[in-house]
Amino acid sequence: MATNNLQNPFLIPTISLASLLIRAPTRVFKCACSSSVQQDAFSLTSSTKYDVDYLGQSTKGDLNVNFDHLQAFGLDGQATLQGPIEQVARIEAEEAEGLLRDLGIPSPTAARFSPRGIFCSRTLNLRSISAIGYDMDYTLMHYNVMAWEGQAYDYCMDNLKNMGFPVEGLAFDPDLVIRGLVIDKEKGNLVKADRFGYVKRAMHGTKMLSTRAVSEMYGRELVDLRKESRWEFLNTLFSVSEAVLYMQMVDRLDEGAIPADIGPLDYKGLYKAVGKALFRAHVEGQLKSEIMSKPELYVEPDPELPLALLDQKEAGKKLLLITNSDYHYTDKMMRHSFNRFLPNDMTWRDLFDMVIVSARKPEFFQMSHPLYEVVTGEGLMRPCFKACTGGLYSGGSAHMVENSLNIHGDEILYVGDHIYTDVSQSKVHLRWRTALICRELEEEYNALIHSRCHRAALIELINQKEVVGDLFNQLRLALQRRSKGRPAQTLAATNMDDQELTESMQKLLIVMQRLDEKIAPMLEADGELFNKRWGFLSRAGLWDKSHLMRQIEKYADIYTSRVSNFLNYTPFMYFRSQEQTLAHDSYSHYCSQQNEQWNQE
């Protein structure tokens, strides 16, 4: 058969690679080519001899076939590669899908179309990544928001009460805010902006503002996050407790309930007071001490997460933990979240090639701070001038990490939940590759699925209004030209009598008004399955992206709901960004119409 294949280059080989894998189940190929057979059969593209592929991604870490040793696998390289590649690839892809099903392994495509998919904004070849750094809070461990933020809220409220603020009757309401909103400290408002910065929804205190009020207040200004004195972006779930209490206190300020002896307060001053109260709750240590004493009440366990990191480590990735939390808190929470799920008596420390606590992000990515080595289990430290693999450190800088590992820039992937502290700054200052963790994506994905019928009905009504409106506008133009003594757009429009023209316009106008009455509440309700006040996390309006989504697309190469989602892929995954639709992509509709016309002819 091999001879026939060589003689006829267009003959498709009868034995596929997927079939050979099924027929030879005893041969296992590990990612690290440790055995002599594996070393002879494959070669790994090194960091000094890599190239870039047609998408501009580094080929470092790619596995290459040594054709001279294909016989070790019982394969004839020439026979396997003969035939038009389009046909070969089609057969291999079909059989690969079947093999994945037989093995019970979900394909990356199936994983992507699920609430726990990893979504790609910028193409990323994981094989070329030498080190993966992780944040801890809300990244490697997910807190129960009601419990953690509710406790933070209570401590903050107690501090405000001690400062003389009226807090009686207030209660934590996590549904009042969502990640990605922006506090307007000048007006005491919470706003949701679209990708351009235009405000689409707003709340003053705890009361939502009407569309008209939003337009009158923000119609001529944009949210500009660079103006930090006015705008505060809710980057993370840690922002929830502070935002809820601030908006509730805005109501108290408007009611005149805040005592005069506290001093004259405006909305900006009130925000500072709430922030100070929350800061004290963190600094005094009561909040974290309570969480450390009963972590099971606050942390949602994820047994798959340590296994996902173990896959990455065994694939040769250097794993880093870089957190702003102190050593005692980090050690306690990581032992609780990781150790029981790791095999062979491994501990969380065994996973990481370097651990950095009290990192002081975002400054960690921007400048250098003194580096200390944590040398005892009690957390005693000594000054250190160079970090080493396997070390546990406090402070330091990202440049120190790069120099100690001899790994730089886009060879490092950093994973965190804070769009600014973790993702934006590591990319802007160091050109690290980035991944954002956003747990709410799972809830939003499911809400979008259940909203399909509502959105389809809404879009149909909007399209109908557009068609009716097009006709109305043409008749209006015809009437305008007639009033000026000029002919209408067409002879038929010119010949319409005045009564027919007027009656047609009246009828169409009534239809459009009735459509508006139907569309408006449906548009307002869009996204309420995720949040009744603010709608979807990633959207601002029916079609546009939210300001948060714009930040994610700009700074996060990939984003997902939890770190354990990496387990559904592999450490060798090639994440490819999807086609981005543009306003003029209607050309594809034109092409399909042309094809239909040609087929009919």
Side-chain angles (χ1 to χ4, degrees), residues 36-56:
S36 60
V37 173
Q38 291 166 355
Q39 289 173 348
D40 291 340
F42 298 112
S43 64
L44 199 67
T45 304
S46 70
S47 58
T48 58
K49 296 182 179 180
Y50 73 90
D51 200 347
V52 292
D53 63 19
Y54 51 82
L55 292 180

Side-chain angles (χ1 to χ4, degrees), residues 4 294 319 368 423-424 587:
N4 290 337
K294 297 178 180 178
L319 297 189
S368 294
V423 175
S424 164
Y587 75 88

Side-chain angles (χ1 to χ4, degrees), residues 524-548:
E524 187 72 22
D526 182 52
E528 66 178 8
L529 289 179
F530 180 78
N531 185 280
K532 291 186 178 298
R533 292 179 178 86
W534 303 106
F536 293 115
L537 192 78
S538 60
R539 287 162 170 75
L542 184 61
W543 285 294
D544 212 349
K545 300 170 185 175
S546 66
H547 208 55
L548 172 66

Side-chain angles (χ1 to χ4, degrees), residues 17-286:
L17 296 178
S19 299
L20 285 164
L21 286 174
I22 297 174
R23 290 168 56 184
T26 57
R27 188 176 298 281
V28 178
F29 305 122
K30 296 181 180 179
C31 55
C33 301
S34 55
S35 72
S36 60
V37 173
Q38 291 166 355
Q39 289 173 348
D40 291 340
F42 298 112
S43 64
L44 199 67
T45 304
S46 70
S47 58
T48 58
K49 296 182 179 180
Y50 73 90
D51 200 347
V52 292
D53 63 19
Y54 51 82
L55 292 180
Q57 298 299 302
S58 169
T59 60
K60 183 174 70 69
D62 283 2
L63 216 57
N64 308 294
V65 173
N66 290 337
F67 286 94
D68 293 340
H69 296 86
L70 273 179
Q71 293 298 328
F73 299 91
L75 291 175
D76 184 332
Q78 293 298 322
T80 303
L81 299 175
Q82 290 305 314
I85 186 58
E86 296 87 352
Q87 297 180 35
V88 174
R90 188 181 305 114
I91 291 174
E92 290 298 333
E94 290 174 356
E95 296 205 7
E97 289 178 353
L99 180 56
L100 284 169
R101 285 194 300 270
D102 293 341
L103 296 174
I105 299 175
S107 69
T109 302
R112 187 169 69 244
F113 295 114
S114 75
R116 293 189 58 179
I118 296 180
F119 309 104
C120 182
S121 301
R122 181 188 172 212
T123 298
L124 171 66
N125 180 8
L126 267 189
R127 298 188 291 273
S128 69
I129 297 298
S130 300
I132 304 179
Y134 287 99
D135 176 43
M136 184 179 74
D137 300 306
Y138 281 123
T139 299
L140 287 181
M141 66 181 64
H142 182 72
Y143 298 107
N144 181 305
V145 175
M146 191 66 189
W148 209 108
E149 295 303 314
Q151 197 67 20
Y153 174 94
D154 290 341
Y155 277 115
C156 183
M157 191 166 63
D158 288 343
N159 288 334
L160 283 175
K161 184 177 181 180
N162 293 334
M163 294 162 64
F165 285 89
V167 296
E168 292 75 13
L170 298 181
F172 181 55
D173 179 8
D175 294 327
L176 198 64
V177 304
I178 61 174
R179 187 203 304 247
L181 301 180
V182 185
I183 294 176
D184 181 351
K185 292 180 280 189
E186 286 187 2
K187 300 183 185 299
N189 293 342
L190 191 61
V191 305
K192 183 177 186 180
D194 65 14
R195 58 183 164 144
F196 304 109
Y198 290 101
V199 175
K200 294 299 183 181
R201 298 190 186 192
M203 181 172 73
H204 180 76
T206 60
K207 301 174 183 65
M208 294 300 295
L209 300 179
S210 67
T211 303
R212 180 173 180 177
V214 171
S215 178
E216 291 175 350
M217 191 174 297
Y218 294 107
R220 295 189 176 183
E221 63 180 326
L222 301 176
V223 172
D224 186 352
L225 298 179
R226 293 171 298 181
K227 298 179 180 178
E228 297 180 3
S229 62
R230 177 175 181 182
W231 306 104
E232 186 70 26
F233 191 47
L234 306 187
N235 285 288
T236 173
L237 290 174
F238 277 132
S239 307
V240 170
S241 53
E242 180 182 26
V244 169
L245 192 50
Y246 174 64
M247 302 316 294
Q248 292 173 335
M249 293 307 298
V250 166
D251 287 343
R252 296 291 166 95
L253 181 61
D254 290 344
E255 294 164 0
I258 296 179
D261 57 358
I262 292 180
L265 273 181
D266 57 9
Y267 297 122
K268 188 175 290 188
L270 180 62
Y271 179 80
K272 289 181 180 179
V274 173
K276 181 180 179 181
L278 184 62
F279 181 75
R280 284 182 57 190
H282 285 283
V283 169
E284 291 173 357
Q286 294 173 303

Side-chain angles (χ1 to χ4, degrees), residues 427-560:
K427 177 169 288 294
V428 168
H429 292 281
L430 300 158
R431 293 299 183 264
W432 287 8
R433 305 307 299 270
T434 51
L436 182 79
I437 301 300
C438 181
R439 181 59 72 96
E440 306 97 294
L441 280 173
E442 294 178 20
E443 184 181 350
E444 168 156 304
Y445 195 100
N446 290 322
L448 282 165
I449 291 174
H450 289 96
S451 300
R452 283 181 298 179
C453 293
H454 173 87
R455 302 190 109 220
L458 178 56
I459 290 171
E460 183 179 6
L461 289 174
I462 291 174
N463 290 339
Q464 289 169 352
K465 185 191 174 183
E466 186 173 346
V467 173
V468 172
D470 285 343
L471 176 57
F472 177 83
N473 292 335
Q474 291 293 341
L475 295 180
R476 183 177 180 182
L477 180 59
L479 184 63
Q480 174 184 299
R481 289 186 177 184
R482 179 173 298 187
S483 68
K484 301 298 181 181
R486 296 196 299 120
Q489 303 92 306
T490 64
L491 182 61
T494 302
N495 291 335
M496 290 181 69
D497 62 55
D498 290 346
Q499 183 175 355
E500 180 185 7
L501 185 59
T502 302
E503 289 178 354
S504 296
M505 290 180 63
Q506 289 173 333
K507 174 184 174 183
L508 293 171
L509 196 56
I510 291 172
V511 170
M512 287 192 294
Q513 289 171 344
R514 291 190 61 189
L515 279 171
D516 284 343
E517 293 171 359
K518 181 72 174 180
I519 290 171
M522 290 182 68
L523 198 58
E524 187 72 22
D526 182 52
E528 66 178 8
L529 289 179
F530 180 78
N531 185 280
K532 291 186 178 298
R533 292 179 178 86
W534 303 106
F536 293 115
L537 192 78
S538 60
R539 287 162 170 75
L542 184 61
W543 285 294
D544 212 349
K545 300 170 185 175
S546 66
H547 208 55
L548 172 66
M549 197 64 232
R550 174 68 184 114
Q551 297 289 310
I552 293 175
E553 286 186 330
K554 185 175 182 180
Y555 296 114
D557 297 319
I558 55 177
Y559 61 98
T560 189

